[in-house]
Amino acid sequence: MRPYILAESNWKAIKDQEVELAVLPWGATEAHNYHLPYATDNYEGTAIAEEAGRLAWENNAKVMVLPTIPFGVNTGQTDIKLDINLHPSTQAAILNDIIEVLDRQNIHKLLILNSHGGNNFKPLVRELGVKYPDMFISFCNWFQSVDRGDFFEHADGDHADEMETSLVMYLQPQLVRPLDEAGEGKSKQYRIKALRENWAWAERKWSEVTEDTGVGNPKKATAEKGKAYFEAVTQKVSQLFVDLAEADLDNLYE
Ligand SMILES: [Zn+2]
Protein backbone atom coordinates (compact mmCIF):
# COMPACT_ATOMS: atom_id res chain seq x y z
CA MET A 1 0.00 0.00 0.00
CA ARG A 2 1.31 3.41 -0.98
CA PRO A 3 0.44 5.83 1.87
CA TYR A 4 0.07 8.82 -0.47
CA ILE A 5 -2.66 7.15 -2.57
CA LEU A 6 -6.09 7.35 -0.98
CA ALA A 7 -7.55 4.44 -2.96
CA GLU A 8 -4.91 2.09 -1.51
CA SER A 9 -4.84 3.45 2.02
CA ASN A 10 -7.01 2.56 5.01
CA TRP A 11 -8.67 4.22 7.99
CA LYS A 12 -5.96 2.95 10.38
CA ALA A 13 -3.31 4.87 8.43
CA ILE A 14 -5.44 7.81 7.32
CA LYS A 15 -6.97 8.85 10.65
CA ASP A 16 -3.68 10.15 12.07
CA GLN A 17 -1.98 11.07 8.80
CA GLU A 18 -1.08 14.68 8.18
CA VAL A 19 -2.18 15.86 4.73
CA GLU A 20 -0.95 19.21 3.43
CA LEU A 21 -1.97 18.86 -0.21
CA ALA A 22 -4.74 16.88 -1.88
CA VAL A 23 -4.20 16.06 -5.57
CA LEU A 24 -7.21 15.36 -7.76
CA PRO A 25 -6.46 13.89 -11.21
CA TRP A 26 -9.25 14.69 -13.69
CA GLY A 27 -9.51 12.90 -17.01
CA ALA A 28 -12.13 12.07 -19.64
CA THR A 29 -13.68 9.09 -21.42
CA GLU A 30 -13.49 9.65 -25.15
CA ALA A 31 -12.38 8.20 -28.48
CA HIS A 32 -8.62 8.53 -29.15
CA ASN A 33 -8.12 7.78 -32.85
CA TYR A 34 -8.49 4.08 -33.82
CA HIS A 35 -5.59 2.79 -31.76
CA LEU A 36 -5.77 4.20 -28.20
CA PRO A 37 -8.24 3.33 -25.42
CA TYR A 38 -11.17 5.54 -24.39
CA ALA A 39 -9.62 5.95 -20.94
CA THR A 40 -6.31 7.29 -22.31
CA ASP A 41 -6.58 10.55 -20.35
CA ASN A 42 -7.39 8.64 -17.15
CA TYR A 43 -4.45 6.23 -17.52
CA GLU A 44 -2.12 9.16 -18.17
CA GLY A 45 -3.39 11.39 -15.35
CA THR A 46 -3.47 8.57 -12.81
CA ALA A 47 0.05 7.36 -13.63
CA ILE A 48 1.48 10.89 -13.57
CA ALA A 49 -0.24 11.72 -10.26
CA GLU A 50 0.95 8.48 -8.65
CA GLU A 51 4.56 8.75 -9.79
CA ALA A 52 4.78 12.47 -9.01
CA GLY A 53 3.17 11.64 -5.66
CA ARG A 54 5.85 9.04 -4.96
CA LEU A 55 8.65 11.46 -5.79
CA ALA A 56 7.08 14.21 -3.67
CA TRP A 57 6.46 11.81 -0.76
CA GLU A 58 10.13 10.80 -0.83
CA ASN A 59 10.90 14.52 -0.54
CA ASN A 60 8.82 14.61 2.67
CA ALA A 61 5.84 16.35 1.09
CA LYS A 62 2.58 15.37 2.81
CA VAL A 63 0.54 14.72 -0.32
CA MET A 64 -2.54 12.60 -0.89
CA VAL A 65 -3.56 11.56 -4.40
CA LEU A 66 -7.35 11.16 -4.70
CA PRO A 67 -8.98 8.78 -7.18
CA THR A 68 -9.15 10.06 -10.76
CA ILE A 69 -12.44 11.55 -11.94
CA PRO A 70 -12.98 9.52 -15.14
CA PHE A 71 -15.39 11.83 -17.04
CA GLY A 72 -14.63 15.29 -18.43
CA VAL A 73 -16.15 18.02 -20.57
CA ASN A 74 -16.77 16.68 -24.11
CA THR A 75 -19.35 19.18 -25.34
CA GLY A 76 -17.89 19.22 -28.87
CA GLN A 77 -18.24 15.47 -29.31
CA THR A 78 -21.94 14.82 -28.79
CA ASP A 79 -22.13 12.63 -31.92
CA ILE A 80 -19.07 10.49 -31.17
CA LYS A 81 -20.26 7.20 -29.79
CA LEU A 82 -19.86 6.79 -26.02
CA ASP A 83 -17.83 9.93 -25.50
CA ILE A 84 -19.22 10.68 -22.04
CA ASN A 85 -19.81 14.40 -21.50
CA LEU A 86 -19.91 16.14 -18.12
CA HIS A 87 -21.33 19.63 -18.53
CA PRO A 88 -19.16 22.36 -16.96
CA SER A 89 -21.89 22.99 -14.35
CA THR A 90 -21.79 19.31 -13.35
CA GLN A 91 -18.02 19.47 -13.13
CA ALA A 92 -18.38 22.55 -10.89
CA ALA A 93 -20.84 20.69 -8.64
CA ILE A 94 -18.49 17.69 -8.25
CA LEU A 95 -15.54 19.95 -7.52
CA ASN A 96 -17.60 21.93 -4.99
CA ASP A 97 -18.50 18.79 -3.05
CA ILE A 98 -14.90 17.56 -2.91
CA ILE A 99 -13.67 20.98 -1.77
CA GLU A 100 -16.42 21.14 0.86
CA VAL A 101 -15.03 17.96 2.43
CA LEU A 102 -11.41 19.12 2.30
CA ASP A 103 -12.25 22.53 3.73
CA ARG A 104 -14.28 21.04 6.61
CA GLN A 105 -11.39 18.71 7.47
CA ASN A 106 -8.76 21.46 7.38
CA ILE A 107 -6.97 20.24 4.26
CA HIS A 108 -6.67 23.64 2.69
CA LYS A 109 -4.58 22.99 -0.40
CA LEU A 110 -5.92 21.30 -3.52
CA LEU A 111 -4.25 20.74 -6.87
CA ILE A 112 -6.40 19.52 -9.74
CA LEU A 113 -4.13 17.57 -12.09
CA ASN A 114 -5.89 18.07 -15.39
CA SER A 115 -5.46 15.42 -18.07
CA HIS A 116 -7.97 16.58 -20.72
CA GLY A 117 -7.95 19.67 -22.93
CA GLY A 118 -11.74 20.13 -22.77
CA ASN A 119 -11.68 20.61 -18.98
CA ASN A 120 -11.41 24.30 -18.17
CA PHE A 121 -10.97 24.79 -14.45
CA LYS A 122 -10.17 28.49 -14.29
CA PRO A 123 -13.73 29.84 -13.90
CA LEU A 124 -14.54 27.06 -11.42
CA VAL A 125 -11.47 27.78 -9.31
CA ARG A 126 -12.28 31.49 -9.31
CA GLU A 127 -15.85 30.92 -8.12
CA LEU A 128 -15.02 28.24 -5.53
CA GLY A 129 -12.17 30.38 -4.24
CA VAL A 130 -14.71 33.03 -3.24
CA LYS A 131 -16.99 30.44 -1.66
CA TYR A 132 -14.16 28.74 0.30
CA PRO A 133 -11.78 31.55 1.28
CA ASP A 134 -9.59 29.29 3.44
CA MET A 135 -8.86 26.99 0.50
CA PHE A 136 -5.92 27.39 -1.88
CA ILE A 137 -7.26 25.81 -5.06
CA SER A 138 -4.94 25.34 -8.03
CA PHE A 139 -4.80 23.30 -11.20
CA CYS A 140 -2.16 22.31 -13.71
CA ASN A 141 -2.24 20.88 -17.21
CA TRP A 142 0.51 18.26 -17.08
CA PHE A 143 0.56 18.18 -20.91
CA GLN A 144 1.87 21.76 -20.90
CA SER A 145 4.54 21.19 -18.26
CA VAL A 146 7.46 20.38 -20.58
CA ASP A 147 8.18 21.21 -24.21
CA ARG A 148 6.93 18.38 -26.44
CA GLY A 149 9.34 19.44 -29.17
CA ASP A 150 12.20 18.10 -27.03
CA PHE A 151 10.73 14.59 -27.18
CA PHE A 152 8.62 14.12 -30.31
CA GLU A 153 8.92 14.59 -34.07
CA HIS A 154 5.26 15.52 -34.55
CA ALA A 155 4.82 17.79 -31.56
CA ASP A 156 1.99 19.97 -32.88
CA GLY A 157 -0.93 17.60 -32.16
CA ASP A 158 -3.22 17.69 -29.19
CA HIS A 159 -5.26 14.50 -29.20
CA ALA A 160 -4.15 10.88 -29.61
CA ASP A 161 -0.98 12.28 -31.17
CA GLU A 162 2.63 11.07 -31.00
CA MET A 163 2.91 12.23 -27.38
CA GLU A 164 -0.22 10.48 -26.11
CA THR A 165 0.47 7.36 -28.15
CA SER A 166 4.03 7.14 -26.83
CA LEU A 167 2.80 7.59 -23.24
CA VAL A 168 0.18 4.85 -23.49
CA MET A 169 2.69 2.56 -25.27
CA TYR A 170 4.87 3.01 -22.18
CA LEU A 171 2.13 2.87 -19.52
CA GLN A 172 -0.43 0.38 -20.96
CA PRO A 173 1.16 -1.28 -24.00
CA GLN A 174 -1.41 -4.08 -24.09
CA LEU A 175 -4.14 -1.49 -24.88
CA VAL A 176 -2.50 0.07 -27.97
CA ARG A 177 -3.44 -1.28 -31.42
CA PRO A 178 -0.61 -1.66 -33.96
CA LEU A 179 0.27 1.77 -35.37
CA ASP A 180 -0.50 0.75 -38.95
CA GLU A 181 -4.15 0.59 -37.84
CA ALA A 182 -4.04 4.17 -36.50
CA GLY A 183 -5.44 7.06 -38.54
CA GLU A 184 -3.16 9.92 -39.56
CA GLY A 185 -4.73 12.31 -37.05
CA LYS A 186 -5.29 14.96 -39.73
CA SER A 187 -7.44 17.90 -38.64
CA LYS A 188 -9.20 20.76 -40.37
CA GLN A 189 -8.94 24.42 -39.37
CA TYR A 190 -11.68 27.01 -39.06
CA ARG A 191 -12.16 29.17 -42.18
CA ILE A 192 -12.59 32.17 -39.86
CA LYS A 193 -9.18 33.77 -39.46
CA ALA A 194 -9.40 34.90 -35.85
CA LEU A 195 -10.49 31.43 -34.75
CA ARG A 196 -7.51 29.92 -36.58
CA GLU A 197 -5.21 32.41 -34.88
CA ASN A 198 -6.54 31.37 -31.49
CA TRP A 199 -7.35 34.83 -30.16
CA ALA A 200 -11.01 34.12 -30.76
CA TRP A 201 -12.55 30.87 -29.68
CA ALA A 202 -15.57 28.72 -30.51
CA GLU A 203 -16.26 25.06 -29.86
CA ARG A 204 -14.98 22.79 -32.60
CA LYS A 205 -17.37 20.11 -33.82
CA TRP A 206 -14.92 17.27 -33.46
CA SER A 207 -16.52 14.92 -35.99
CA GLU A 208 -16.19 17.59 -38.70
CA VAL A 209 -12.64 18.54 -37.75
CA THR A 210 -11.14 15.05 -37.79
CA GLU A 211 -11.87 11.77 -39.55
CA ASP A 212 -10.42 9.34 -37.00
CA THR A 213 -11.02 11.48 -33.84
CA GLY A 214 -7.26 12.11 -33.56
CA VAL A 215 -5.54 15.50 -33.86
CA GLY A 216 -1.84 14.95 -34.47
CA ASN A 217 0.13 12.26 -36.30
CA PRO A 218 0.82 9.28 -34.01
CA LYS A 219 2.92 7.21 -36.43
CA LYS A 220 6.35 7.97 -34.97
CA ALA A 221 5.36 7.08 -31.41
CA THR A 222 7.50 4.68 -29.34
CA ALA A 223 7.41 3.45 -25.75
CA GLU A 224 10.97 4.78 -25.27
CA LYS A 225 9.84 8.31 -26.14
CA GLY A 226 6.88 7.84 -23.81
CA LYS A 227 9.17 6.80 -20.95
CA ALA A 228 11.50 9.79 -21.39
CA TYR A 229 8.57 12.22 -21.55
CA PHE A 230 6.84 10.58 -18.57
CA GLU A 231 9.98 10.97 -16.47
CA ALA A 232 10.38 14.63 -17.40
CA VAL A 233 6.71 15.41 -16.72
CA THR A 234 6.60 13.56 -13.38
CA GLN A 235 9.80 15.29 -12.20
CA LYS A 236 8.32 18.67 -12.95
CA VAL A 237 4.87 17.90 -11.55
CA SER A 238 6.35 16.42 -8.37
CA GLN A 239 8.23 19.67 -7.77
CA LEU A 240 4.90 21.47 -7.97
CA PHE A 241 3.47 19.02 -5.39
CA VAL A 242 6.43 19.74 -3.07
CA ASP A 243 6.21 23.52 -3.54
CA LEU A 244 2.47 23.54 -2.87
CA ALA A 245 2.75 21.25 0.16
CA GLU A 246 5.46 23.44 1.67
CA ALA A 247 3.89 26.80 0.79
CA ASP A 248 2.89 29.13 3.60
CA LEU A 249 -0.58 30.33 2.61
CA ASP A 250 -0.07 33.54 4.58
CA ASN A 251 3.13 34.34 2.72
CA LEU A 252 2.71 33.42 -0.94
CA TYR A 253 4.25 36.41 -2.70
CA GLU A 254 7.71 37.93 -2.97
ZN1 LIG B 1 -6.20 12.45 -24.52
Side-chain angles (χ1 to χ4, degrees):
M1 160 214 144
R2 293 170 288 181
Y4 50 89
I5 295 181
L6 183 59
E8 295 182 5
S9 199
N10 51 63
W11 172 235
K12 187 176 189 322
I14 291 290
K15 63 183 172 43
D16 300 317
Q17 190 168 326
E18 200 184 325
V19 178
E20 269 292 328
L21 172 70
V23 174
L24 179 65
W26 205 310
T29 298
E30 56 174 348
H32 273 76
N33 201 323
Y34 298 120
H35 64 292
L36 292 182
Y38 266 58
T40 288
D41 295 2
N42 301 329
Y43 289 122
E44 292 165 343
T46 303
I48 289 165
E50 291 184 352
E51 176 61 6
R54 182 183 73 80
L55 295 168
W57 182 264
E58 286 174 0
N59 271 306
N60 300 315
K62 295 173 176 59
V63 298
M64 183 62 73
V65 176
L66 309 184
T68 303
I69 309 280
F71 302 130
V73 173
N74 281 83
T75 42
Q77 307 182 344
T78 49
D79 55 346
I80 295 182
K81 194 170 185 179
L82 285 173
D83 275 21
I84 306 295
N85 172 48
L86 282 192
H87 285 298
S89 55
T90 312
Q91 188 164 56
I94 293 169
L95 189 59
N96 175 81
D97 291 2
I98 292 168
I99 290 172
E100 187 184 72
V101 171
L102 297 174
D103 186 55
R104 188 169 58 229
Q105 300 181 359
N106 291 318
I107 298 166
H108 284 136
K109 296 172 185 169
L110 170 66
L111 174 71
I112 303 156
L113 184 76
N114 182 34
S115 201
H116 168 61
N119 295 335
N120 178 11
F121 288 105
K122 203 185 270 188
L124 282 53
V125 169
R126 288 185 194 276
E127 185 165 336
L128 291 167
V130 173
K131 189 168 173 190
Y132 299 98
D134 293 336
M135 289 293 301
F136 187 77
I137 311 162
S138 55
F139 71 92
C140 76
N141 296 326
W142 61 257
F143 44 88
Q144 293 175 327
S145 63
V146 301
D147 187 349
R148 289 178 204 199
D150 295 344
F151 297 86
F152 304 107
E153 269 177 67
H154 299 287
D156 56 342
D158 69 7
H159 188 70
D161 58 351
E162 184 179 326
M163 180 275 273
E164 283 205 294
T165 303
S166 297
L167 260 187
V168 184
M169 286 170 107
Y170 172 56
L171 297 171
Q172 300 284 342
Q174 76 286 3
L175 299 180
V176 183
R177 300 292 309 164
L179 286 183
D180 57 8
E181 293 180 18
E184 307 257 301
K186 284 201 186 109
S187 59
K188 291 181 184 161
Q189 302 273 330
Y190 268 114
R191 292 186 200 280
I192 298 163
K193 187 163 177 274
L195 293 173
R196 269 202 319 275
E197 290 174 351
N198 261 331
W199 58 277
W201 188 87
E203 184 92 81
R204 288 178 292 180
K205 187 156 192 210
W206 210 258
S207 58
E208 291 179 18
V209 166
T210 141
E211 189 94 344
D212 50 38
T213 80
V215 173
N217 187 338
K219 300 285 185 176
K220 292 278 168 71
T222 68
E224 291 67 38
K225 290 181 188 176
K227 179 174 192 285
Y229 179 74
F230 180 78
E231 287 172 357
V233 168
T234 50
Q235 280 290 342
K236 202 139 176 209
V237 169
S238 80
Q239 187 61 52
L240 174 60
F241 289 8
V242 171
D243 290 346
L244 285 168
E246 288 177 352
D248 174 359
L249 293 183
D250 295 320
N251 188 20
L252 284 171
Y253 310 101
E254 59 185 10

